[in-house]
């Protein structure tokens, strides 16, 4: 198969003091049907590989064209220099610009068609905010950079896919954020990307209610009656297959999940604890609604594990696999 037939996946390096370099090095021992290009400081990757005792071939590329199809045991790097020396497990705010540059360059590369998708290891939100940047998460960062009106956070495991109407909000603000416009934007975007990026012809989406027992006919809250149900009815008239609103405490059971392609939860901690319980360490975080494809790991920087050889690369490998699948489906959908 010619090299141009393989999707080009950009992998950012994450927080350099965390396990990002470790899991990139570990995952690179596997073969993937793609051109994997790591945006990182080669010296950071080399030093961490030495600390882990892993023999890895580093190929430094001057452009995307220099990076071949991935081979196990090798890492192809588009070099970006760290701002300060990196010590495993020790945060340094001076490296915040380096982390943000890898994210920006990866996104710009997707926007100008040099890359087909981005995979992101974990960053440390606190250290980025401490540097003076307002950074609430990868999702919001890429939304701003891509000028997207609405993005959708979705996590996927072998057992299920869960998307969110709202993301990183305090619990007290969620009810006000559940509006007809937001539900419409998220449901339409989710349906579209399940078709175009996952190849599902007519997705079935289960929708959680906001309140316990989906409001119990208004006795436990009126959002389902006044906002959620009427909006879902209008979306069904557009041909989107939505089931709900359903009580979240019973929706996540085999009876419902076996008939569904995705669950749409109203807020972060309504849907994600269930998914992470069933698949933590082997799940993937996906940002839908962007003009680019982005997947990520389902865990944090794990500073205490950096450089120890104990970091689990399972979620990164799943994120890479999903990025490849989505990139290939997107190409098919565009033909």
């Amino acid at each position: 198969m010619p090299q141009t037939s393989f999707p080009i996946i950009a992998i950012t390096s994450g927080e350099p003091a965390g396990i990002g370099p470790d899991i990139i090095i570990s995952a690179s021992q596997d073969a993937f049907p793609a051109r994997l290009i790591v945006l990182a400081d080669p010296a950071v990757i080399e030093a961490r590989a030495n600390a882990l005792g892993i023999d890895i071939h580093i190929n430094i590329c001057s452009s995307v064209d220099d990076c071949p199809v991935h081979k196990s045991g090798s890492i192809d790097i588009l070099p970006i220099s760290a701002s300060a020396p990196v010590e495993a497990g020790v945060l340094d705010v001076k490296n915040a610009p380096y982390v943000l540059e890898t994210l920006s360059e990866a996104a710009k590369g997707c926007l100008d068609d040099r890359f087909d998708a981005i995979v992101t290891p974990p960053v440390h939100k606190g250290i980025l905010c401490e540097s003076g940047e307002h950074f609430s998460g990868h999702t919001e960062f890429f939304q701003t950079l891509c000028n997207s009106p609405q993005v959708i956070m979705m996590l996927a495991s072998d057992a299920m896919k869960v998307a969110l109407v709202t993301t990183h909000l305090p619990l007290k603000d969620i009810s006000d954020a559940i509006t007809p416009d937001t539900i419409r934007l998220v449901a339409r975007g989710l349906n579209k990307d399940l078709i175009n990026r996952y190849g599902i012809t007519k997705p079935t989406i289960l929708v959680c209610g906001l309140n316990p027992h989906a409001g119990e006919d208004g006795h436990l809250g009126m959002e389902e009656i006044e906002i959620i149900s009427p909006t879902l009815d209008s979306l069904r008239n557009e041909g989107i297959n939505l089931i709900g609103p359903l009580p979240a405490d019973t929706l996540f059971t085999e009876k419902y999940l076996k008939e569904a392609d995705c669950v749409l939860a109203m807020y972060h901690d309504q849907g994600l604890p269930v998914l992470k319980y069933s698949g933590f360490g082997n799940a993937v975080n996906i940002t839908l609604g962007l003009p680019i494809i982005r997947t990520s790991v389902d865990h944090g920087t794990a500073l205490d594990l950096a450089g120890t050889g104990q970091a689990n690369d399972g979620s990164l490998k799943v994120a890479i696999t999903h990025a490849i699948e989505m990139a290939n489906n997107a190409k098919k959908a565009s033909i």
Side-chain angles (χ1 to χ4, degrees):
M1 185 181 292
Q3 178 165 302
T4 53
S5 300
F6 290 88
I8 304 170
I9 312 298
I11 304 176
T12 59
S13 52
E15 166 52 52
I19 62 170
D22 305 53
I23 59 178
I24 289 171
I25 293 163
S26 178
S28 294
Q29 303 298 304
D30 287 13
F32 293 94
R35 295 163 66 190
L36 304 182
I37 302 176
V38 179
L39 281 65
D41 189 324
V44 172
I45 300 298
E46 183 176 12
R48 193 63 58 84
N50 289 337
L52 296 171
I54 296 177
D55 185 20
I56 195 88
H57 173 71
I58 295 176
N59 176 38
I60 300 176
C61 309
S62 59
S63 72
V64 172
D65 294 335
D66 295 336
C67 295
V69 176
H70 176 70
K71 294 181 180 179
S72 59
S74 67
I75 297 180
D76 298 300
I77 297 180
L78 275 178
I80 296 176
S81 296
S83 307
V86 174
E87 181 180 349
V90 182
L91 294 170
D92 189 338
V93 71
K94 293 177 185 175
N95 273 322
Y98 163 65
V99 173
L100 293 173
E101 185 178 359
T102 65
L103 298 177
S104 296
E105 288 303 310
K108 290 173 185 175
C110 277
L111 290 171
D112 65 20
D113 295 326
R114 286 183 292 129
F115 305 134
D116 296 307
I118 302 169
V119 176
T120 58
V123 297
H124 195 285
K125 296 183 183 72
I127 207 73
L128 293 177
C129 292
E130 199 176 309
S131 74
E133 295 288 337
H134 175 67
F135 188 92
S136 57
H138 278 110
T139 303
E140 295 80 5
F141 178 86
F142 288 126
Q143 178 181 13
T144 300
L145 195 147
C146 295
N147 196 28
S148 297
Q150 182 68 47
V151 293
I152 304 144
M153 183 176 177
M154 183 176 83
L155 268 73
S157 69
D158 289 341
M160 69 189 82
K161 295 181 179 70
V162 178
L164 306 176
V165 175
T166 62
T167 55
H168 300 117
L169 287 179
L171 198 58
K172 66 182 179 60
D173 297 334
I174 289 171
S175 179
D176 289 342
I178 303 296
T179 67
D181 285 345
T182 299
I183 295 171
R184 277 193 287 266
L185 282 169
V186 171
R188 287 168 180 158
L190 175 60
N191 186 68
K192 177 182 176 182
D193 280 354
L194 288 173
I195 294 170
N196 293 336
R197 295 183 175 175
Y198 278 95
I200 302 169
T201 304
K202 188 171 178 58
T204 297
I205 301 169
L206 304 181
V207 184
C208 296
L210 174 64
N211 296 295
H213 301 180
E216 196 80 70
D217 295 325
H219 295 287
L220 297 176
M222 294 296 293
E223 287 88 351
E224 286 77 12
I225 292 172
E226 295 177 351
I227 297 169
I228 300 173
S229 289
T231 306
L232 298 185
D233 286 341
S234 70
L235 290 164
R236 291 187 191 101
N237 290 335
E238 298 177 13
I240 301 176
N241 187 20
L242 300 165
I243 299 174
L246 298 170
D249 64 339
T250 53
L251 180 154
F252 290 98
T253 57
E254 185 181 3
K255 170 187 174 182
Y256 290 109
L257 292 178
K258 69 180 180 180
E259 304 295 335
D261 296 300
C262 187
V263 172
L264 181 58
M266 290 294 126
Y267 58 95
H268 187 283
D269 280 15
Q270 182 182 57
L272 298 194
V274 183
L275 182 137
K276 291 192 176 185
Y277 175 77
S278 72
F280 189 72
N282 289 291
V284 57
N285 186 346
I286 303 144
T287 306
L288 302 178
L290 294 170
I292 63 177
I293 293 169
R294 178 257 170 168
T295 68
S296 185
V297 296
D298 68 345
H299 56 74
T301 53
L303 295 167
D304 58 322
L305 299 181
T308 68
Q310 298 178 38
N312 185 340
D313 65 3
S315 185
L316 179 63
K317 289 193 284 193
V318 174
I320 293 170
T321 300
H322 270 257
I324 293 169
E325 176 190 355
M326 293 171 74
N328 285 331
N329 283 327
K331 286 183 178 181
K332 291 175 186 177
S334 66
I335 296 174

